Each structure stands twice: as structure tokens, then as C-alpha cells.
Amino acid sequence: MSTTERTRALRRRMIVEARRATVEHGLHGYTIEQLCETVGVSRRTFFNHFASKEDVVLGIELHADVEAFERYAAGGIVSSDLDPLGSIVALAIDQFHRVGIDRADEALVRQVFEREPALVAKFLSATDVQLARVTDAVRHRFGWGDPDDRRARLVTEAAAGLLKVTADTFFADADSPAFDALLTDNLRLLRAAITTGQDTTP
């Protein structure tokens, strides 16, 4: 196992254990020290990867997005054939897979949000916090260098709206499809609504 794989596995263990502890005890019912003891890491190691207890529960890793945005801006991570909106959706799906929002622990994530509803708002607001950086990455990827060019922000805001509606549905409906499938379908519906006003699925 490579160093990168070991680091990813360690982060994953911290995230899963934090979610389990939150479901069992509530966010304020355990300490970071207790979490570190369970996982077998030091407090210093914890803060090398996560800024807070809330962030580890949500899978928000320190500096992880910086590299991803740089690679995306340079034309990487997702297919170069995708249009701007499609590329942001593909990037979001890639990032959600990386942090662990998928069917494998969907029930655990739902239980976390049921136990700590305030975390839903933090999860949704994470998109807003990243908005400026995503906009810059889109601007660089598609060569929209003029600061007065509004296209990058318009596309990013549209993607943020897609993510919010998708997250609202995903976490509210236990029978909803997987997050990436739901997001992809919402992108299709948005395109159909804008171009024809109708869902053209046979």
C-alpha cells in the first residue's frame, strides 16, 4: 500500500469512527481525544487532516480541495470533453466519492444528520464556502480570463443550486437514488427545463 493509500485509509477510519461516535453519543458527547484513541492516532495527526470535529464527521479534509481545484483548473480530474456545467457536476461527484458520501455508509450518514440536524446546514454551506475557488478554477480551465466575464460565476452558481437541491432530496428521502445518480439526473432535468421546458425522457 502506497503512502497516499495509507493516508486515505487513515482519513477514512477517522471519518467513519467520528460518524459512529456522533450517532451514538451526539456531536458533543465525545472528545477529539477519545476519537483519536479509538482510531489509534495522536491529536496532532488528527489536526494534520481535519480542522474540527464537525469537519471530520462531514469528511472535509484540510487542504484536500486545493490540489483537486488546481488539477481541475489545469484540465484534469474529469473529461476534457465536458462542458463547464457538466465538468463541475463531474468534479462534485468525484469529490463526494473521495469523502465517502455513497451507498456504502449512506445509512450512517443519514443517522448522523438525524442526530445532529445542524450539520446538514454546514454540509450544504460547504458548497458556498468553496464557491469563489470553484469559480476561479472554472475560469482557468475554460480560459475565461477577463475578470468582468460572468460566465464562470454563472456556471458555478448553477452547479451550486444543483448540488443544494440534490443534497436536500438525498438526505430527506431514504428511498432516493445514490447521490451521484441523483445529481446526474438533476443535471439532465435542468438542461431539459432550460432548453425545452420539458422532460424528454421516453
Side-chain angles (χ1 to χ4, degrees):
M1 184 182 288
S2 69
T3 301
T4 299
E5 289 170 335
R6 285 196 298 271
T7 299
R8 189 177 295 122
L10 174 61
R11 287 173 172 170
R12 180 67 181 160
R13 283 206 322 274
M14 287 192 278
I15 291 168
V16 170
E17 288 302 326
R19 289 172 178 171
R20 288 176 179 161
T22 300
V23 170
E24 185 174 349
H25 306 291
L27 192 60
H28 303 293
Y30 66 98
T31 65
I32 289 175
E33 289 75 12
Q34 289 170 324
L35 175 63
C36 290
E37 184 177 348
T38 300
V39 178
V41 299
S42 68
R43 181 181 171 89
R44 179 177 179 179
T45 297
F46 175 89
F47 283 109
N48 282 340
H49 296 283
F50 301 99
S52 67
K53 194 192 302 183
E54 291 86 351
D55 282 0
V56 69
V57 172
L58 294 174
I60 301 172
E61 302 165 14
L62 280 172
H63 313 304
D65 289 340
V66 173
E67 181 184 351
F69 289 156
E70 288 175 351
R71 288 176 55 209
Y72 170 82
I77 299 186
V78 302
S79 173
S80 59
D81 295 335
L82 294 171
D83 63 35
L85 184 57
S87 74
I88 298 177
V89 167
L91 176 65
I93 289 171
D94 175 84
Q95 297 302 295
F96 278 114
H97 283 173
R98 184 180 55 77
V99 301
I101 306 291
D102 58 29
R103 286 296 186 195
D105 64 349
E106 177 191 340
L108 184 59
V109 172
R110 289 186 187 278
Q111 290 170 28
V112 165
F113 283 102
E114 287 170 5
R115 181 70 188 253
E116 295 288 347
L119 286 178
V120 176
K122 183 175 175 64
F123 171 77
L124 294 175
S125 70
T127 300
D128 294 332
V129 171
Q130 304 280 6
L131 212 54
R133 284 192 287 165
V134 175
T135 301
D136 284 341
V138 171
R139 185 175 288 117
H140 283 92
R141 184 180 178 99
F142 292 95
W144 296 333
D146 185 344
D148 292 327
D149 190 333
R150 297 186 299 275
R151 287 177 292 178
R153 184 176 177 192
L154 287 166
V155 170
T156 305
E157 293 281 359
L162 271 172
L163 285 165
K164 184 179 186 310
V165 171
T166 301
D168 285 347
T169 304
F170 182 77
F171 290 116
D173 182 2
D175 296 321
S176 71
F179 190 91
D180 54 353
L182 185 60
L183 179 56
T184 301
D185 192 50
N186 282 343
L187 174 60
R188 178 188 62 78
L189 288 172
L190 177 62
R191 291 192 193 283
I194 290 172
T195 58
T196 68
Q198 299 176 358
D199 179 0
T200 57
T201 302

